[in-house]
Amino acid sequence: HRSISNFMVRKVKAKCLDLPDKNYIRINFELNEYKEEYDRLFDEFLKTSKGRNFDQQKMAIHTLNKLMAKAKVKDAIELIDTILMDENIDIVDGVEVRSKKKVAIFCTYKEPIAMLATYYKGRCVVLDGTVDTGSRMAAVNCFKNDQNIDLFIGQTKAAGEALNMTFCNDCILLNFTLTRSEIDQITDRFHRIGLKKMLNVYMTVCRNSIDEALYA
């Protein structure tokens, strides 16, 4: 033990597991009716950014990020509905089996989540910071097993870790986190042992906004 205590073996998932690919798909949205408010907030951000510390800068970016997430809701609904129009097709014992698709969407902010939950009332489960730890797996099981539930709405922090979502192949990111590792945590809820098909990750980008920089 003393001889090897200064060493470790690091096994990378990509080299250990034979999983289907992650397919990242960029989807462009417009700010539309939120553009005027965005421009005002962005100009204010540029004028005051030099005098702000790191935490203040980050809060200003979150304010812009939240506004963009709200701006995307309408187009995100159209994207969700388009995905749900399709079907899963599996071959079981040589027989073609069709099933309804399910979609998961993740967002950092409560207001866009509430907007989506209101629109899909009765067809979705919501897992945000208000859901206690003991109820989180129940929400995932409801999404998995209830044929009337076809949408999972997850808050990034609350639903981005410790869940197994390998039965779902379509994941939408309504906004970008400020670190790539947080996005990897979200997509790895799906991309793990048990995933049978390629995972589609839809990266929504508001054109002519800081989303372009965050995406890059």
Side-chain angles (χ1 to χ4, degrees), residues 31-92:
L31 285 162
N32 295 322
E33 65 266 30
Y34 290 88
K35 188 177 188 316
E36 186 176 337
E37 185 179 358
Y38 174 87
D39 288 342
R40 179 181 60 79
L41 288 172
F42 186 68
D43 287 343
E44 182 181 313
F45 169 67
L46 291 180
K47 289 175 184 176
T48 60
S49 61
K50 288 184 179 179
R52 293 181 173 185
N53 62 35
F54 177 75
D55 288 336
Q56 290 171 326
Q57 293 264 25
K58 197 159 67 170
M59 286 302 298
I61 291 173
H62 276 301
T63 299
L64 290 165
N65 224 359
K66 180 167 69 172
L67 182 67
M68 290 187 295
K70 288 167 58 179
K72 294 175 187 176
V73 167
K74 184 177 179 181
D75 288 328
I77 288 171
E78 186 175 333
L79 174 60
I80 292 166
D81 289 346
T82 299
I83 296 170
L84 291 176
M85 286 173 61
D86 204 355
E87 288 183 309
N88 285 317
I89 302 176
D90 298 292
I91 305 298
V92 179

Side-chain angles (χ1 to χ4, degrees), residues 148-196:
N148 296 316
I149 303 296
D150 45 25
L151 178 65
F152 177 92
I153 305 172
Q155 192 169 21
T156 304
K157 291 290 186 182
E161 297 180 5
L163 300 179
N164 188 335
M165 307 271 280
T166 55
F167 56 89
C168 178
N169 299 98
D170 294 281
C171 169
I172 301 170
L173 301 181
L174 196 64
N175 68 273
F176 297 118
T177 58
L178 301 188
T179 63
R180 173 59 189 263
S181 62
E182 290 178 291
I183 291 177
D184 288 338
Q185 278 286 347
I186 292 169
T187 57
D188 282 349
R189 299 312 94 223
F190 309 83
H191 196 254
R192 53 193 299 176
I193 293 173
L195 183 68
K196 304 298 184 186

Side-chain angles (χ1 to χ4, degrees), residues 104-108 113 125-128 152-160:
I105 186 167
F106 287 81
C107 180
T108 306
I113 288 174
V125 293
V126 178
L127 203 168
D128 59 15
F152 177 92
I153 305 172
Q155 192 169 21
T156 304
K157 291 290 186 182

